[in-house]
Amino acid sequence: MHWPLRRSTLVLLLAGAAGIAGCIAPAAAADAPAGGEPWWRHAVIYEIYPRSFQDANGDGTGDLAGITQRLDYLEQLGVDAIWIAPIYPSPQVDFGYDISDYRGIDPQYGSFADFDRLLGEARRRHIRVILDMVLNHTSDQHPWFIDAAHSRESPHHEFYVWSAGKLDPAGQHHPPNNWVSLFGGPAWEFVPAVSEYYYHRFYRQQPDLNWRNPEVERAMFADMRFWLDRGVAGFRLDAVTELFEDAQLRDAPVLGGVNAQGDPILSDLYTKNLPEVHQVMRRLRAMIDTYPDERVLIGETYLEKTADLDAWYGGARRDELQLPMDTLVGLGNRLDAVTFRRHLLESQTQLHGAQPLVVFDNHDNIRSWDRYGDGVHDAQIARIIAALLLTTRATALVYQGQEIGQRTATPRRVEDVRDPLGVRGWPRDKGRDGERTPMQWDASNPQAGFSSNPHTWLPVTADYRSVNVASESADPASLLNWYRRLIALRRNDAAVRAGGMVMLDERNPAVLSYARVSGTGATVIVSLNMSARTQKVSLGLAQAGLRGSQLRTLLSSPDSVAADAASNPLILPPYAAWVGQLR
Ligand code: NOJ
């Protein structure tokens, strides 16, 4: 279903905004009856990087029993689901994203008994468990690949992407084309036993599966069923945009320049987002829809434009992923009201009314604290990011540590780097260790309560004495309590949870303001000063068709923002975040 796109200066958007003059009724409103919404629609999903969350057995690496120990914390924070990065058996070259058995649990994380306990304890707290699913590649230690690389006649040979490459007059083998791995170096690796190259989008220990072979789909879907049958709530699909590559293996257009790994910068025309992937997504969606309880598919979808996300929902048919990620890491790293306003408008108007999943932080990117911070107002800016994440009409993803303001702690010496990306790319690309350091729980020991073992797999960041869950829990003005209050507001307030969005004061270059309006007309206003100056904001509520004469502060940081008559301007100190009710 399409609906006309309208960009009035004051009023736009969306679901359930009854009573607002000129508001557009989107598809989302139609198929989201009150009370009958799937659980994921307004959920807060919390990403757990299991190596670094909580170590229960004292080996210096996090584990499943550790996650179970911390469920009370997650329940208090108000999360609806956890997504756990891969826990399957793996040589750990890419820390779990190189899977050697899709139906097992890596012993360093625990056993099936630990997993089932985690699932049961999470369920008791109304927290769903989402697993990571790597469909694009396996480990080179997976039995399929071992078999495939043994002989061209092996039953699993065609499970992978092979090419004989080119032979020069001197009898030397060369790769079939110019493709490079996203993790550095050529994307092709020669295997003498079969006299062919295999393709790897990521490390050479991560051979790409051949999704043109229906057997691959059958096998991977069966592996997913294994976990769905065990009770997981769905999957985050790793690198799902990369499943297919050009069948003719044509050379990628060269864009010029060199990337951080020292490779030529190429177009991904032939290696990403190929149309064939959508057929697989549709069949995958149909498969998970045979299960009860609204299992969910989340996509790791880094795309160029907001509108590109639409195809991943299945366009107007909405028969693919429920939640392809709207990864704001691609927006540039400037806290800029104009950029965020534009992006919000796009995600509310270009996705057939689908629910965006907003992601600022994850285990692959410099933390938002460091990306958006200016070194002076970082703590305030982190509150603005939290408000943006949790008060727009979107499902929200919080990455462990984001809620306490953990910083990126990039290694200073190459000898200390654990991520192979950083080892190979040093010093231009220092890898992803910085955003994967252990969760900082308390100051009870030098491991910040993460582990009893002084040798944690990555070092604990030195600021753990002040930046930790225990001390921030005790401080009403902490970032953690700001997150808790925002999440509680989102849970309890119908307008913030599921209301439509109306942009306000749309020409303001420094302050982003919008209203959330529930089906009954209850209205919450959000105003975020993204500048280092005090700003006087005229919200223009009446012009936007919003009814009410008084503003009442619900949440404010700093707490000095005064709100009274709706017709008076709001005075926002530098980087203030304000949320209020219109009555
Ligand atoms: C994306 C994952 O988030 C990242 O950590 C991993 O290295 C690549 N996909 C390859 O699986």
Side-chain angles (χ1 to χ4, degrees):
M1 191 191 314
H2 291 267
W3 71 95
L5 193 76
R6 208 186 73 159
R7 296 189 56 142
S8 85
T9 45
L10 290 170
V11 181
L12 248 196
L13 321 181
L14 280 180
I20 298 175
C23 216
I24 298 158
D31 50 52
E37 297 196 306
W39 68 269
W40 45 262
R41 182 150 291 163
H42 308 291
V44 173
I45 302 173
Y46 186 94
E47 182 195 349
I48 291 182
Y49 195 68
R51 301 181 72 79
S52 295
F53 192 61
Q54 177 65 56
D55 170 19
N57 67 3
D59 66 356
T61 300
D63 44 45
L64 293 174
I67 300 174
T68 306
Q69 280 175 16
R70 295 296 186 180
L71 285 173
D72 287 341
Y73 166 74
L74 297 171
E75 184 184 21
Q76 280 163 24
L77 183 59
V79 312
D80 300 287
I82 52 177
W83 145 37
I84 313 176
I87 51 171
Y88 319 99
S90 161
Q92 304 288 336
V93 172
D94 193 15
F95 301 116
Y97 286 95
D98 47 324
I99 299 168
S100 52
D101 173 6
Y102 284 79
R103 298 194 190 195
I105 293 189
D106 196 297
Q108 70 176 301
Y109 294 131
S111 61
F112 273 110
D114 294 319
F115 182 78
D116 290 339
R117 198 169 310 120
L118 168 60
L119 218 53
E121 289 297 317
R123 191 176 295 126
R124 270 198 333 113
R125 293 167 178 82
H126 308 287
I127 296 174
R128 291 175 161 85
V129 176
I130 295 168
L131 290 186
D132 218 310
M133 181 48 59
V134 185
L135 300 176
N136 181 64
H137 48 268
T138 68
S139 160
D140 63 351
Q141 298 307 305
H142 192 293
W144 297 340
F145 187 75
I146 294 174
D147 182 49
H150 181 68
S151 145
R152 287 194 197 186
E153 271 66 57
S154 298
H156 293 101
H157 190 68
E158 295 305 323
F159 266 45
Y160 295 87
V161 180
W162 296 96
S163 165
K166 299 171 186 160
L167 207 57
D168 69 18
Q172 291 288 313
H173 294 276
H174 299 277
N177 60 28
N178 66 348
W179 298 355
V180 293
S181 158
L182 283 179
F183 284 177
W188 296 96
E189 186 75 15
F190 190 69
V191 177
V194 292
S195 197
E196 282 180 311
Y197 289 86
Y198 67 86
Y199 173 64
H200 57 95
R201 182 74 162 148
F202 298 95
Y203 296 126
R204 82 182 148 71
Q205 296 90 340
Q206 295 168 299
D208 269 50
L209 285 164
N210 171 16
W211 280 86
R212 296 184 189 281
N213 177 355
E215 288 298 318
V216 166
E217 179 174 311
R218 255 194 291 281
M220 293 306 300
F221 281 20
D223 285 346
M224 293 171 95
R225 283 179 175 281
F226 174 84
W227 294 101
L228 291 165
D229 290 339
R230 234 182 159 94
V232 306
F235 299 102
R236 175 267 191 184
L237 304 174
D238 182 74
V240 70
T241 51
E242 328 287 305
L243 291 201
F244 284 84
E245 5 340 280
D246 181 44
Q248 298 166 52
L249 307 182
R250 281 171 280 189
D251 269 342
V254 179
L255 301 179
V258 178
N259 65 22
Q261 290 287 334
D263 295 316
I265 299 176
L266 305 177
S267 154
D268 50 24
L269 180 66
Y270 296 132
T271 46
K272 180 173 176 173
N273 254 324
L274 269 73
E276 293 90 322
V277 72
H278 294 289
Q279 291 156 26
V280 176
M281 292 302 106
R282 277 197 285 280
R283 290 193 291 269
L284 178 52
R285 175 65 179 274
M287 185 274 272
I288 73 147
D289 278 353
T290 61
Y291 284 83
D293 309 325
E294 304 279 1
R295 313 290 167 107
V296 69
L297 295 172
I298 298 173
E300 191 201 17
T301 39
Y302 290 97
L303 300 167
E304 258 178 43
K305 300 193 297 298
T306 314
D308 294 344
L309 280 169
D310 190 50
W312 286 89
Y313 289 97
R317 290 183 315 277
R318 307 268 198 87
D319 54 358
E320 298 189 28
L321 312 186
Q322 292 99 329
L323 295 172
M325 288 180 182
D326 184 4
T327 45
L328 301 187
V329 283
L331 270 192
N333 299 328
R334 228 163 56 80
L335 192 74
D336 175 48
V338 176
T339 307
F340 280 113
R341 184 179 299 121
R342 181 182 44 75
H343 185 75
L344 279 176
L345 283 165
E346 287 172 1
S347 66
Q348 303 296 325
T349 55
Q350 299 181 354
L351 306 178
H352 288 91
Q355 176 77 354
L357 168 59
V358 172
V359 183
F360 278 97
D361 289 74
N362 62 26
H363 63 282
D364 291 328
N365 290 286
I366 292 173
R367 287 181 178 272
S368 60
W369 179 286
D370 303 285
R371 299 203 318 271
Y372 290 100
D374 64 357
V376 179
H377 306 94
D378 296 2
Q380 243 346 98
I381 291 172
R383 283 162 176 76
I384 290 185
I385 298 292
L388 254 179
L389 178 68
L390 294 161
T391 66
T392 69
R393 192 187 68 86
T395 301
L397 192 117
V398 177
Y399 173 48
Q400 68 183 50
Q402 179 180 349
E403 75 279 21
I404 56 169
Q406 269 194 229
R407 317 317 194 244
T408 316
T410 306
R412 297 224 174 85
R413 310 177 317 162
V414 65
E415 305 88 279
D416 299 330
V417 177
R418 298 291 310 269
D419 182 9
L421 198 57
V423 175
R424 189 180 190 286
W426 192 272
R428 296 221 308 197
D429 183 346
K430 294 182 177 169
R432 300 163 291 181
D433 292 355
E435 51 268 20
R436 298 173 175 182
T437 56
M439 180 75 184
Q440 296 165 200
W441 294 103
D442 55 45
S444 64
N445 68 10
Q447 292 79 254
F450 160 70
S451 172
S452 56
N453 192 321
H455 303 289
T456 54
W457 84 282
L458 278 178
V460 171
T461 308
D463 66 8
Y464 78 90
R465 284 185 202 81
S466 55
V467 180
N468 68 62
V469 168
S471 68
E472 292 194 32
S473 291
D475 172 6
S478 68
L479 181 62
L480 176 58
N481 279 318
W482 178 251
Y483 266 89
R484 282 189 179 138
R485 281 168 18 226
L486 281 166
I487 294 173
L489 177 69
R490 186 183 157 95
R491 281 200 156 189
N492 301 325
D493 185 294
V496 179
R497 183 175 174 76
M501 267 184 76
V502 180
M503 282 296 174
L504 299 170
D505 190 20
E506 284 190 85
R507 292 183 196 279
N508 193 321
V511 181
L512 176 66
S513 303
Y514 48 88
R516 303 292 312 281
V517 186
S518 79
T520 60
T523 303
V524 168
I525 313 285
V526 180
S527 202
L528 307 169
N529 180 0
M530 301 192 173
S531 80
R533 295 199 179 158
T534 297
Q535 301 283 344
K536 194 169 163 182
V537 184
S538 297
L539 292 166
L541 299 169
Q543 295 94 310
L546 298 174
R547 286 194 287 266
S549 57
Q550 286 293 315
L551 288 173
R552 186 175 73 94
T553 299
L554 295 170
L555 286 172
S556 175
S557 178
D559 57 17
S560 55
V561 180
D564 40 36
S567 51
N568 287 347
L570 267 182
I571 311 292
L572 296 179
Y575 296 108
W578 179 85
V579 184
Q581 206 173 40
L582 176 64
R583 294 191 299 183

